[in-house]
Amino acid sequence: MHSTNYHAATTAAEAASLLSSAEDGALLAGGQTLLPTMKARLAAPSDLIDISRAEELRGISVTDGTAIIGAMTTHAEVAGHAELRSAFPALCDLAGRIGDPAVRHRGTIGGSLANNDPAACYPAAVLGTGATISTNKRDIAADDYFEGMFATALDAGEVITSITFPIPDAANYQKFAQPASRFALVGVFVAKSADRVRVAVTGASEEGVFRWTNAETSLSSDFTADAIGGLSVSSQGMISDLHGDGSYRANLVQVLTARAVAAAS
Amino acid sequence: MSEIKMTVNGKPVGGDVADNMLLVEFIRETLRLTGTHVGCDTSQCGACVVHVDGKAVKSCTMLAAAADGAEVTTIEGVANGDLHPMQKAFNDNHGLQCGFCTPGMIMSGIDMVNRYKAEGKTLDEAAIRHELEGNICRCTGYHNIVKSISQAAGEM
Ligand SMILES: Cc1cc2nc3c(=O)[nH]c(=O)nc-3n(C[C@H](O)[C@H](O)[C@H](O)COP(=O)(O)OP(=O)(O)OC[C@H]3O[C@@H](n4cnc5c(N)ncnc54)[C@H](O)[C@@H]3O)c2cc1C
Ligand code: FES
Ligand code: FES
């Protein structure tokens, strides 16, 4: 790892000001993506601003119809939160299957969303529910946030503070794990609320997470696995690698969507 | 450089560390506690698992500076005179061959048993296998590791 300067911030405001005075600074949340990237020398920030001690960025609150999760809340905290589990079990299940226990003890929702790995799990839940990402500067709707592989609407120096999820009536996340990394080879998040159904797909597209709008239309009038039996996704623009080619991934999108609808609760 | 203080296996330790020093480097190279292993350095194998404030973490994927003020337990700190029930169970069930992955397996094993007990859940074979997702063993084929953790879960 290249040398760097470590700073600990205890509030989002302090983190933002340390970031703006650094030459080429980066926030350090759980470090479960950034540190491996730095060890591989694919990133070499001049300064690391550790936000793991910023208590205001941590915590889960479940109120009527919404769940608000602080950016520094770990995957293990989301998976193990009893109140959230009874209101929105699909989100707890998703968090409980990210990586492994040690990764879940450190990795955070804010870090996952800032990173926007094309095979990450949380982006599917955020886009699939139409959640809102709040930063130290503004609120960003999920539909405006994801801008392709590893790209987001965040400006340099912007700090994610929390994510607000509208709690769906029923939802489910189906992850087909890539056998080596256990990231999603394809993952599909389906969420049904009173007036609409949303379907978000991760792992599959070269553009990162996306909504499968044809399936949304069919499922909005008939929320059954059969309703999408005749639909398919084009393999154009799908990721092809040694773990699965584009047509394999395209087929998985349909299969996993049907499974998610059947399992939604 | 950052000045850090932490408790490792019950003893206060500290000093000035480079800002890019990993927790595992502090443990192995500064404290000379070499039971914690580095198997991959890409955050995948779990040989480096230690407990930080009671939770299993990969010490190759945390900065020493970020552990300032923490309570850290390594494999050297789990036996209390006698072997810890998890260590004894690995011994009883032939849960290791070369032993390289074993410190991480034991630290992850203790962590999973503690969590399942705290939540009142049963740690059955399927749960142990799922919980071991972040610990790789090149020798045993896992069966005896699962048996060991299962035995210790009954004794802890
Ligand atoms: C072995 C392994 C398996 C994994 N498996 C999965 C998996 O199955 N599914 C999955 O989705 N992920 C997986 N991950 C990734 C994991 O979920 C990471 O925790 C997550 O992607 C990044 O979160 P972090 O808190 O660790 O962020 P960090 O690594 O600390 O930061 C990541 C990036 O986000 C930026 N950042 C962090 N917090 C903020 C913030 N609040 N505001 C703005 N920018 C911020 C950082 O500057 C950095 O650029 C895995 C990781 C490992 C090591
Ligand atoms: S050395 Fe830390 S996970 Fe392999
Ligand atoms: S006993 Fe050799 S790696 Fe597990």
Side-chain angles (χ1 to χ4, degrees), chain B residues 111-125:
Chain B
D111 174 73
M112 75 177 82
V113 173
N114 287 343
R115 273 187 291 115
Y116 273 64
K117 278 179 92 172
E119 290 168 26
K121 295 194 295 190
T122 11
L123 188 63
D124 58 15
E125 184 188 330

Side-chain angles (χ1 to χ4, degrees), chain B residues 61-72:
Chain B
T61 313
M62 180 169 183
L63 292 176
D68 183 28
E71 284 205 26
V72 177

Side-chain angles (χ1 to χ4, degrees), chain A residues 25-36 51 57 71-72 75 97-100 103 106-115 117 119-123 154 158-161 173 175 181-184, chain B residues 42-44 58 61:
Chain A
L27 294 173
L28 177 67
Q32 301 302 293
T33 293
L34 184 53
L35 293 176
I51 52 173
L57 295 180
M72 262 314 301
H75 308 329
R97 292 191 57 211
I98 293 176
D100 55 61
V103 167
R106 298 287 305 165
T108 68
I109 186 169
S112 176
L113 292 171
N115 191 51
D117 188 300
C121 299
Y122 269 127
L154 292 177
E158 201 166 356
V159 183
I160 300 177
T161 51
Y173 177 64
K175 174 183 183 181
S181 75
R182 315 302 288 174
F183 270 72
Chain B
T42 53
S43 312
Q44 281 154 326
K58 292 175 178 171
T61 313

Side-chain angles (χ1 to χ4, degrees), chain A residues 211-238:
Chain A
R211 279 171 67 188
W212 186 18
T213 46
N214 285 349
E216 292 182 354
T217 310
S218 301
L219 290 168
S220 295
S221 53
D222 177 15
F223 192 70
T224 64
D226 289 342
I228 53 156
L231 296 185
S232 62
V233 188
S234 161
S235 60
Q236 207 71 40
M238 292 282 149

Side-chain angles (χ1 to χ4, degrees), chain A residues 15-213:
Chain A
S17 102
L18 284 165
L19 256 186
S20 67
S21 51
E23 186 190 325
D24 177 23
L27 294 173
L28 177 67
Q32 301 302 293
T33 293
L34 184 53
L35 293 176
T37 312
M38 289 175 68
K39 289 199 291 181
R41 301 200 169 190
L42 297 170
S46 64
D47 294 79
L48 283 178
I49 292 103
D50 182 0
I51 52 173
S52 64
R53 291 164 210 270
E55 282 306 316
E56 65 178 29
L57 295 180
R58 221 173 246 282
I60 299 173
S61 77
V62 183
T63 51
D64 225 15
T66 52
I68 305 176
I69 303 183
M72 262 314 301
T73 311
T74 64
H75 308 329
E77 285 161 353
V78 171
H81 196 271
E83 204 185 342
L84 183 64
R85 180 164 289 282
S86 64
F88 192 2
L91 192 65
C92 300
D93 289 341
L94 174 149
R97 292 191 57 211
I98 293 176
D100 55 61
V103 167
R104 294 195 287 273
H105 281 149
R106 298 287 305 165
T108 68
I109 186 169
S112 176
L113 292 171
N115 191 51
N116 193 21
D117 188 300
C121 299
Y122 269 127
V126 166
L127 190 62
T129 53
T132 304
I133 291 152
S134 301
T135 75
N136 58 331
K137 294 188 183 146
R138 56 190 167 140
D139 293 334
I140 311 171
D143 285 317
D144 303 324
Y145 177 81
F146 299 101
E147 297 187 342
M149 269 196 194
F150 298 108
T152 69
L154 292 177
D155 292 330
E158 201 166 356
V159 183
I160 300 177
T161 51
S162 67
I163 297 87
T164 303
F165 290 92
I167 297 175
D169 297 342
N172 187 258
Y173 177 64
Q174 291 287 321
K175 174 183 183 181
F176 191 92
Q178 197 255 63
S181 75
R182 315 302 288 174
F183 270 72
L185 186 70
V186 175
V188 176
F189 196 96
V190 170
K192 179 184 188 302
S193 42
D195 55 336
R196 59 179 186 173
V197 174
R198 288 173 70 114
V199 177
V201 180
T202 189
S205 167
E206 284 168 354
E207 301 296 314
V209 67
F210 70 95
R211 279 171 67 188
W212 186 18
T213 46

